[in-house]
Each structure stands twice: as C-alpha cells, then as structure tokens.
Amino acid sequence: MSNELTTLRRETTGLKMFPLFTLAGWSLIGFAILIKAAFLAPSGAIYWGENSKAIRDSAAAGTILLDQLAALAWWPRLLEPLIFLGIAAFIVGIALQFSAIPGILDRRMMGLKKALPLMGRRS
C-alpha cells in the first residue's frame, strides 16, 4: 500500500467514526428524554397532583409517597450526566467530521493543480 493511501486513510478516519459518536450522543439524549417522559412525568403527576401537601408532609417512613419522592429526586441526578455525555459525544462526532474536511480539500487541490496546467494548453 502506498504512503499516499495510508495518509488518506488516516486523514479520513473521522469520516468513518463520526456516525458512531453522533448516534451514541443522540441515543443517550433520547434515552434520558424517554425516561423523563415515561417515568418521571407520570410519577410526578401522581405525587404532586393526587396528594395534598398535608398528606405528603405527614407521610410515614417506608410509605409509597416517600419512595416516589426519592425516585423523583434521584432520577434527574442520574440523567443529567447522561444528557451531558450525549451532548459531548454528539459534538465530538461533529468535530471528527469537520477535522476530515481539510485533508479532503488538500487532496482535491493537489488534483486540481495537476489538471490545471493541462487545461490552458492549446494543441
């Protein structure tokens, strides 16, 4: 394999890797949104909507109300790093895609420079 092909493969590795990072980012963000919509929204509606403040404040230890409150406090703290990681993975995917552009443009410019002297000649 020629040195030129090895350089081209190294320069375009970002084009092969960026779909993985962007998909991973969207998957993590989508998972967090799904958990919030499917679990936290109904649980919060039940906890705050169906129970008065007096019932929530007087809940004894070990009751379902305190379990719901614990889940409503714990899940957002778990999902926040997942959302951050998803956004970071998405941005890395975009950066990988953009990092391959200069190498591709350099290759095209070299091809254009080789073809340009031939374009101006008349037979």
Side-chain angles (χ1 to χ4, degrees):
M1 186 178 337
S2 72
N3 189 22
E4 194 172 311
L5 270 176
T6 306
T7 306
L8 182 63
R9 283 191 179 159
R10 187 180 61 235
E11 289 175 352
T12 59
T13 302
L15 290 177
K16 295 176 186 172
M17 297 298 293
F18 93 88
L20 299 174
F21 279 97
T22 53
L23 244 80
W26 280 115
S27 298
L28 289 172
I29 293 168
F31 174 73
I33 290 172
L34 183 70
I35 292 296
K36 284 183 177 187
F39 175 70
L40 289 178
S43 183
I46 291 170
Y47 181 77
W48 283 295
E50 293 182 4
N51 302 306
S52 66
K53 181 162 175 34
I55 293 173
R56 292 191 310 260
D57 289 344
S58 65
T63 60
I64 295 174
L65 284 176
L66 290 181
D67 289 341
Q68 282 181 330
L69 182 61
L72 288 171
W74 183 74
W75 274 99
R77 291 184 182 195
L78 176 73
L79 294 176
E80 186 176 331
L82 283 179
I83 293 172
F84 182 78
L85 185 63
I87 292 171
F90 182 72
I91 291 172
V92 165
I94 291 172
L96 284 172
Q97 186 177 12
F98 285 153
S99 70
I101 292 173
I104 293 169
L105 289 177
D106 286 343
R107 299 279 174 208
R108 290 187 178 177
M109 279 300 288
M110 286 181 0
L112 184 62
K113 285 179 182 178
K114 288 179 185 175
L116 195 58
L118 300 175
M119 291 178 168
R121 291 187 186 169
R122 293 187 179 189
S123 323

